[in-house]
Structure formats: structure tokens, C-alpha cells
Amino acid sequence: MGTFHDTPRAAGAQTGPPARTGDGGRGPLGTAVRFLPALAALAVLVAALAASDTPVDAMARYAFYTGWGVLLPGTLLYRSLRRAPHTLVEDLTMGAVTGLVLELAAWAVFMPLGLAGAMTLWPLLVVVPFAAVPRLRRHWWVRGYTPVPRSWAWAVAGTVALTTGYLFKVYLDVVELMPANDASRQFVDISYQMSLAGNAKHSFPPTLPQVAGEPLQYHWFAFVHEAMTSLVGHLDLPVVQLRLMIPALCALTMLVAAVVAWRLSGRAWAGPIAGLLLFAVGEFNGGHGQTPFGSPQTTLMVWGSVSMTYSQPLLLALIGVAGDALRRTDRETGPDRAPLLGGRAVYVLAVLFAFSSSAAKATSIPVTLAGLALAGLAGLVAARRVPWTVVRLGVIVGAAQLFSTAVIFAFKTYGLAVDPFSNIRVFWADPQDVRSSTGQLMVVALVWFAFLVNTQLRVAGAVPLLWHGRMRLEPVQWFLLGGAVAGPAAFIAISGWNAGYFTHAGLAFGVLLSAWGYCEAWERAKLSRRGRVALGAFAVAWTALMIWLVGSDHDLGWLQRVDRAIRDLHPGSTGFLRALLTDYPGRGANGSASGLFAIVAAGLTLVALAAVCAVLWWALSRKVRPMRGRGGIVLLTAALLAATPTLVLDLPKPTWGPTVWGALPLPAGKVEAARWLRAHSDPADVVATNEHCWSADDFKDPSAPCTDYRDFALSAYAERSVLVEGWGFAPRVMAGTDPNFWDQDLLKLNDEAIGRPTPALLAELHDRHHVRYLFVNRRVGAEGAGMEKLATKVFDNGRIGIYRLG
């Protein structure tokens, strides 16, 4: 490796000869063969959507939207900024991410002007100049692309297809597009997210739709994208969120990971490996279906968090352009080096991706800043002068963080606070003081072991990169390392369940570094063709073995198997692991105890197995020459694939779904009424309702106290602001400790106007608060006597009555 350099690069400088990565087939047949992997992945996606009752016309309109509203303007702009072409897939992928940024800008221009109805035309602002200006016309058709290897294309397409199949099983085929009856249920966050998207279709800036006029101090860019998809593609919001958007964004994220890993590492195969680690390999749970550390996502495919899914391609693109600025042409040795993006282009793209990432997910920019800080510190120490490239990038990313903190979030923390170790010390707590100091030290060590194995095993490929380089890393490697460390470090330092998203943001950096390290380890192993086949066979067999080991023991998995083995070896013993699990002080109060020690049991078993195999390999390699120097790549392959059963475990019992944690009632009658209101009211109309919380038994006992104010279905499916609906996710509530509504006089007015209506109360709702409709859920309480004389009934399905005021 090498030292830091911060010298200017000559215009047009290349990093080396184009990669010899394909046969560049000519003619119609060659073109068809070249695009066959992409078409196959697309076919799987279309089949999954069709099998989950997605309307065919909706798929067609979504294809129009992605092509016209995202891909075309974004690709044209990206081509005009980057200096030299690399691959067609990179231009289209980075162009799509650029298009996501442009649609934010278009929304911010058209909405204040009252031109939401003309939103379909916004791409003309890009298309017309690129058609009219001679210097820009050349970006419509580009030649000189480096062809990608067919195996590379099939590997990436296979990962996309695998992900689509997983999403179909745990999401598309599970979550109803529309509730079938009054017993239907839905994950709590879905209706909240859909309500924000519905508000973004009509308001600039968005407001909190559950409390009309309340500012939305939240990362809401994802919901602008959802709103733009609906406006430009003329698509129904439930179809966008519950069918089309999530698999499309996941596929885009895998493509961005693949092209960024290739560009930064100079190794084409780092791309599919990064995509595999990011999506197909989950957290190492030891056979238990849910991680005890932070948010319970199985992988980054968090369909329950639209903001997380939307933020990933933006963050990876930001990593790609920032890392490209840190590349050094005189130190790179990768066989498939991509041409540098170019001086000013890097900074323009960094501005676009940084500011769009800032309010896409609040965890993205802090982790990126930490990566740049480590790269800058390493550069300062190594070269003993200021690394100005890092400084310039830091200013851009820092400005994006300031923008989101001050303008979007209004300095709200959403309940996060600096409290070191608060998210993990519960696992080693000993409130009864029953452990000896040695026992307590062992438990603390095991908790740290479990945390690292569970959340960071996919980053194991970075270890040989750091080891062989003796920490003398390139600037871009320091940048990736800093982001990879900052994510889990932030989870450790900050309290709150949502701090787990920092770990996910750091993983985007970590898998890029891990894939890079794996490729270098592969190169050092110098495997023969027979050796590569043998390693591939081992990878398949190892994955199958891991899946079999966790098998049907979904609750404790490997822990049960190991514990049973110990008792078989020592009859009458209760087993050390079982005793350790019983000794866990939070077992009764914290359901994550079994998950934690399943990770410990499985992790320690793997460590022991690795040690035994390493000794055997060393002994055999003394006699079998081809084995020498190749044990490391085998061990690394096993480590990176150890968590592959996670997706398999999630298939029969998804971590999130309509029948598990977070699933709330979504009666079909309520949705029917809300959608009628959407069709027959004006977007500016405010609605008042008597329902503010959710009930597990659908208000079987109307007198039961209301304690959970996460009711968002009316604002979601009506796409209208509600005077007071459910306020459980309001920023001012999430940041405090009081779950009650902050304006009790307004709440009293709202409820009395529906329950005990008078002309004065209804007039105050109409004149002062701009309420035009009353949405009465009779399961909560019937409208007051005389309502039909004071307001006009316009809808009634028995469960819901809707009245118009004025």
C-alpha cells in the first residue's frame, strides 16, 4: 500500500488501461446476450409483483415513471458531470440515483408554485437543454464503455433475483394491498409513512398529517419520492409503497453497491461480493430470528422503514463520489481500474448526494463525516500537511448536516441522547450482585463478542486488508474504515432503539471494505482453476451446512443443538450454555436473552471449529503443497457466509409482518371510508375524527382507556390532514417523556364537537380550524344527537359515518 498524496490530477488522467472484462459482443445477438442478465432479473421482479396482485397497468405506469421521471434526466446529468465513461451499468445506476436527487429539486420548485398537476412535465427542464445545446447532445448516446464480464452481470442479477424472491415471501405476498375485511392487520409504520407521502403530494414543506399544521421535523425525503412517484406516474399510493417502491429501491441499492465497490477497489468482482454481503447475508443470529442489538431488521432490506430503504442508494452514491475524490492514480494497483470522475464533477455530485442523504435518513451524514474525519487525520499524520481534498469534502458533508439539523429537524433529537453503553449494558447488568468479579468480566466479554459477531461478521473481509497492509492504507480505505467503525460506535454511544440505524449506515461502508479485502485475499491465494472450483463447492456446501444446523429450531437454533450435544457428552449435566442463559438477569424482562446467547453459543462454536480446522490445514499443507497459503481464503469465505441462514430463518416467520410485532388492526370499512373521502374532498380540506389510538381488539370495549396513540390510517388512506388523529409519532412527543397531546383544549374541542355537537362548536371547527369533514368511527363512539341536523351526512357504511360542514 502507500502513503498519502494530495497532488492535483491532470485533466483527462486515466487510472490505467480499460479492463479486459468482456467480449463486447457485436450485432443484435451479442446485444441480446449482453442484456440477458438484466432482463432475467427484471422478469423475476415482474413475476413477483404479478403474483402479489399488483395491477398490470400500475406496473406499466411505474416503468414509465422510472424511465421518464428518474432514469432519463438523472443519466443525462450524470454523464455531463463525469469525465470519462466506465461501464453502461455504472452510468445508468448512478444516473438513477442522480434522478432521485433531481426529483427532490423538482418537487421543491413545482409545489410552492401550485403546479403539482404539471409535475409529469418536470423532466423537460433537463431533456430540452440536452436536446437543444450542441455540447450536451453527445450525452444522449455514449460510446467507449468497458464491457462488464458476463459472470459479473449474472452474479449481480442473481443477487437481485434472490432479494426479490425474499421480499415476495416476507412482504409482497404477506402484506395486503387493501384490507380484505375488518379483521385485517398491518405493520404500524406503514400507514404513518403513507400518510407523510400523501401530505407531500399537496404541501410544501410537508406537515404532520395527524395534527393539521404541525411542522414535520423528520427525515421526510423518502416520502417526497413516494409522492413524486404517485404524481408523475399517476399511481395510487398504496400500490407505490406496498408493491412497487421497495423491491425497486432494493435492486437499485444492490447495483449502486456493485458499481461503487468496483470503482473504489479497482476490482470488478468486489461489486457482486459487496451486493451479496449487503443483502443476501444477514446478521449472524446463531439460529435465532431476531437480533438483540438495536432495530430488528434481518438485513438492510427494511421494508418496514421506507426512509432506510430509500437512503441506502443515496448513501452508497455519496460514498462512491467521495471515495473517488480520495483515489490516487499513482498508487492504484487494481486490475479493473475505473477512470476518475473528474475534479469539479466529484464535488458537484458530492453536493447532490450529501444534501439528499441528509434528510433521507438522519444516520447517513454523521457516519460519513466520521469516515472523512479518520481519512483526514490519517492524511495529516502520514503526509504532515493538510489533505485539502478531505477538507473540501468535509465542508460539503458538514454543510449538509447543518442543513438537515437546522432546517429539516429544527434541532430535534427524536429521543436520541448521548449515553455510552446504554444499548448494551442491559445484557451484562447484575442488579442482584450475584456474580463474582471474574464472572461479571466474562459476561461483559461475551456481550461484546456477541455484538461484534452479530453486527460485524460481514465486515470480516476488511481484516486481511488491514493486516497485510499493516495499517498503511490508502485515503479511500481510511474513509471506508472510518465509516464502518463509526456506525456501531454511534450505536454504543447513543441511547435509543433507533440508534440501531447507525449500525446499518456503517455497514454500507463496511461491506465495501470487506469485499475489497476479500478480492485482495483471493489474488494473494493465486488459486488454480481446480482450486477455484473447489472453493466454490466449499462455499455451497458450507452454506447448506449452516442452513441445516439452524434447521427447524427457529427459537433458539444452534444454542439448543450445542446444549444438547454437551448433555449427551456429559449425562446428567444441565449444560454450561443453558446455565449461562438462565443466569442472564434480564431473561424475564427482556426477550432478547435467548437471542444473545444463541449468538454466543454459535459464535464460540465457530471459533473453536475454525481453530481446529486451521491446525489441521497447517498440518496437511506441509505434505500437500497446493494447500499452502490458501487456508486464509477458505477461512474468510466461511466467515463471510456464516450468516447466510438468516434470510432462510426469516422466511417461515418474518421479523416484521401482519401477524407479529407491530401489527395493528386495519379494518376494511375504515379504509373504504377514508378512500371515499380522498375521492370526494379537496386536498386542502381538514378532517376531524373521534379516533386517536389503536385497539388490539378493534374497540370491542369502547370504554377501555386509550393509551397507544399510533393511529394513522385515516390520514394515510384519505391523504388529508386531520385536526387531531394519532400523535404517537409526533416529533415533540418522541423527543419527550409525556405521551399526552400537548394542546388539551384543541383535543377537547375536537371530541366534544363530534360527541356533543352544537352549532357553536361546529362553527369553531369550520371557521377557525378549517375543518370541512367529520370522520366518525362508531366503534369508538357514535356521533352526538342532532348531528344530522347540524351537518350533512355524505357517507355511511355502518362502521364509519362522514359528515360535511358548511
Side-chain angles (χ1 to χ4, degrees):
M1 311 305 283
T3 58
F4 252 86
H5 297 277
D6 198 37
T7 54
R9 293 183 286 271
Q14 295 277 347
T15 60
R20 294 183 295 274
T21 53
D23 60 8
R26 304 291 182 183
L29 181 59
T31 301
V33 170
R34 208 168 28 151
F35 286 98
L36 192 58
L39 294 174
L42 181 61
V44 172
L45 176 58
V46 171
L49 292 173
S52 53
D53 300 323
T54 308
V56 175
D57 64 322
M59 287 190 277
R61 287 197 294 270
Y62 189 71
F64 161 77
Y65 159 74
T66 54
W68 170 249
V70 176
L71 192 59
L72 177 59
T75 301
L76 288 174
L77 181 62
Y78 178 76
R79 283 174 171 174
S80 69
L81 290 173
R82 60 110 174 96
R83 183 163 50 198
H86 181 216
T87 64
L88 175 60
V89 69
E90 178 178 282
D91 266 12
L92 295 178
T93 298
M94 296 297 284
V97 183
T98 306
L100 294 180
V101 181
L102 292 179
E103 74 172 2
L104 288 173
W107 175 85
V109 171
F110 277 60
M111 287 300 297
L113 297 176
L115 298 175
M119 203 71 78
T120 305
L121 302 177
W122 84 259
L124 291 175
L125 297 176
V126 177
V127 171
V128 170
F130 274 83
V133 179
R135 290 185 59 187
L136 297 177
R137 288 179 193 157
R138 61 189 177 91
H139 299 298
W140 284 90
W141 187 262
V142 176
R143 299 183 182 275
Y145 284 124
T146 297
V148 301
R150 290 182 184 176
S151 54
W152 185 95
W154 279 110
V156 174
T159 307
V160 172
L162 175 67
T163 301
T164 301
Y166 167 81
L167 284 172
F168 172 77
K169 178 65 177 178
V170 303
Y171 178 53
L172 299 175
D173 195 43
V174 175
V175 178
E176 295 174 320
L177 185 56
M178 285 293 167
N181 51 55
D182 283 356
S184 295
R185 303 176 74 85
Q186 187 183 84
F187 176 63
V188 59
D189 284 13
I190 289 178
S191 57
Y192 176 68
Q193 295 162 355
M194 198 184 304
S195 75
L196 301 185
N199 186 268
K201 288 176 64 174
H202 312 297
S203 300
F204 177 88
T207 58
L208 186 70
Q210 289 79 40
V211 183
E214 179 73 5
L216 182 61
Q217 294 143 352
Y218 186 64
H219 41 237
W220 43 259
F221 282 7
F223 311 110
V224 171
H225 166 67
E226 193 173 341
M228 289 290 285
T229 306
S230 178
L231 289 168
V232 177
H234 301 284
L235 287 157
D236 201 6
L237 272 183
V239 179
V240 174
Q241 179 162 332
L242 303 181
R243 291 296 181 267
L244 300 167
M245 185 172 69
I246 299 299
L249 286 175
C250 286
L252 176 61
T253 302
M254 278 179 280
L255 289 170
V256 181
V259 300
V260 167
W262 182 346
R263 171 167 286 278
L264 297 187
S265 69
R267 290 159 177 83
W269 273 96
I273 293 172
L276 182 74
L277 295 176
L278 195 63
F279 280 95
V281 179
E283 286 82 5
F284 181 80
N285 292 330
H288 193 268
Q290 183 169 314
T291 174
F293 301 107
S295 53
Q297 285 82 318
T298 299
T299 69
L300 285 177
M301 294 176 294
V302 283
W303 56 263
S305 174
V306 170
S307 58
M308 185 68 190
T309 307
Y310 170 78
S311 71
Q312 284 301 303
L314 294 168
L315 174 58
L316 285 163
L318 175 59
I319 296 170
V321 298
D324 192 81
L326 298 175
R327 289 168 58 197
R328 292 294 173 262
T329 59
D330 57 343
R331 304 303 306 172
E332 291 179 339
T333 57
D336 305 321
R337 289 172 291 174
L340 293 171
L341 290 172
R344 283 183 294 183
V346 164
Y347 298 110
V348 173
L349 289 169
V351 169
L352 294 177
F353 297 144
F355 276 81
S356 57
S357 293
S358 67
K361 195 70 176 177
T363 52
S364 295
I365 295 301
V367 173
T368 306
L369 277 173
L372 289 172
L374 183 61
L377 178 62
L380 187 63
V381 171
R384 297 186 179 181
R385 58 191 178 90
V386 177
W388 289 110
T389 299
V390 177
V391 172
R392 288 188 286 268
L393 290 170
V395 169
I396 292 171
V397 178
Q401 180 63 56
L402 180 61
F403 162 76
S404 62
T405 302
V407 178
I408 304 296
F409 307 140
F411 299 100
K412 295 292 192 302
T413 63
Y414 229 76
L416 297 177
V418 177
D419 187 3
F421 309 113
S422 60
N423 287 324
I424 62 171
R425 62 176 175 238
V426 62
F427 298 109
W428 65 59
D430 186 17
Q432 287 81 38
D433 197 24
V434 298
R435 298 193 189 111
S436 64
S437 56
T438 302
Q440 178 67 10
L441 183 63
M442 183 178 73
V443 171
V444 171
L446 288 176
V447 170
W448 278 107
F449 172 78
F451 173 72
L452 293 174
V453 169
N454 172 244
T455 64
Q456 301 300 307
L457 192 59
R458 283 179 279 185
V459 190
V463 174
L465 191 68
L466 305 178
W467 178 267
H468 288 280
R470 293 180 173 84
M471 297 302 292
R472 293 194 295 271
L473 305 179
E474 295 296 329
V476 63
Q477 293 171 334
W478 281 116
F479 170 57
L480 295 177
L481 178 63
V485 172
F491 173 76
I492 297 298
I494 297 175
S495 66
W497 180 86
N498 285 325
Y501 288 106
F502 283 106
T503 305
H504 295 310
L507 193 61
F509 292 79
V511 296
L512 296 174
L513 195 66
S514 187
W516 191 339
Y518 186 86
C519 286
E520 287 204 3
W522 174 281
E523 292 166 6
R524 281 191 296 271
K526 297 180 180 178
L527 296 172
S528 64
R529 181 179 179 85
R530 182 177 298 178
R532 293 194 295 270
V533 172
L535 183 62
F538 166 76
V540 173
W542 173 252
T543 301
L545 175 63
M546 294 295 294
I547 293 173
W548 176 82
L549 281 172
V550 299
S552 60
D553 293 334
H554 187 74
D555 291 331
L556 292 180
W558 206 328
L559 176 61
Q560 289 181 337
R561 295 180 181 276
V562 174
D563 184 58
R564 190 182 303 124
I566 292 175
R567 286 185 282 114
D568 289 344
L569 291 172
H570 301 281
S573 170
T574 59
F576 169 72
L577 293 173
R578 176 175 293 184
L580 187 61
L581 174 60
T582 304
D583 187 49
Y584 174 66
R587 185 185 183 192
N590 190 318
S592 297
S594 58
L596 176 74
F597 284 97
I599 296 168
V600 171
L604 291 178
T605 302
L606 279 185
V607 170
L609 180 64
V612 171
C613 290
V615 172
L616 292 175
W617 189 281
W618 175 80
L620 288 173
S621 66
R622 300 181 66 183
K623 296 183 178 180
V624 183
R625 188 176 182 84
M627 294 178 65
R628 296 179 188 177
R630 275 88 186 235
I633 191 65
V634 176
L635 180 62
L636 185 59
T637 301
L640 293 178
L641 294 177
T644 47
T646 305
L647 292 186
V648 179
L649 278 175
D650 208 45
L651 293 177
K653 187 179 178 183
T655 304
W656 282 352
T659 60
V660 293
W661 177 84
L664 309 185
L666 185 70
K670 181 178 178 180
V671 172
E672 176 197 15
R675 287 174 66 80
W676 182 94
L677 190 60
R678 185 196 65 167
H680 295 85
S681 62
D682 187 89
D685 291 342
V686 176
V687 183
T689 182
N690 62 337
E691 182 179 354
H692 310 298
C693 62
W694 73 276
S695 167
D697 60 3
D698 192 20
F699 302 100
K700 185 177 182 179
D701 179 8
S703 64
C706 184
T707 58
D708 193 328
Y709 303 99
R710 296 179 298 166
D711 183 60
F712 318 117
L714 169 57
S715 53
Y717 286 92
E719 297 182 22
R720 300 293 180 262
S721 290
V722 183
L723 185 63
V724 183
E725 194 184 10
W727 58 84
F729 282 174
R732 68 167 82 198
V733 171
M734 294 294 291
T737 58
D738 187 358
N740 295 311
F741 189 60
W742 54 90
D743 190 341
Q744 287 294 310
D745 290 339
L746 178 62
L747 181 61
K748 182 179 179 181
L749 169 66
N750 179 95
D751 292 346
E752 286 191 350
I754 295 175
R756 292 183 293 275
T758 66
L761 290 175
L762 296 182
E764 185 173 359
L765 286 184
H766 181 278
D767 299 338
R768 182 180 174 188
H769 299 286
H770 311 289
V771 173
R772 297 296 180 265
Y773 290 89
L774 304 179
F775 189 93
V776 185
N777 187 340
R778 297 188 179 116
R779 299 281 293 191
V780 177
E783 59 269 47
M787 178 69 80
E788 294 191 16
K789 296 180 180 180
L790 299 174
T792 304
K793 182 189 289 187
V794 292
F795 178 90
D796 195 330
N797 65 2
R799 170 186 284 268
I800 304 294
I802 301 178
Y803 293 84
R804 185 174 65 240
L805 299 183

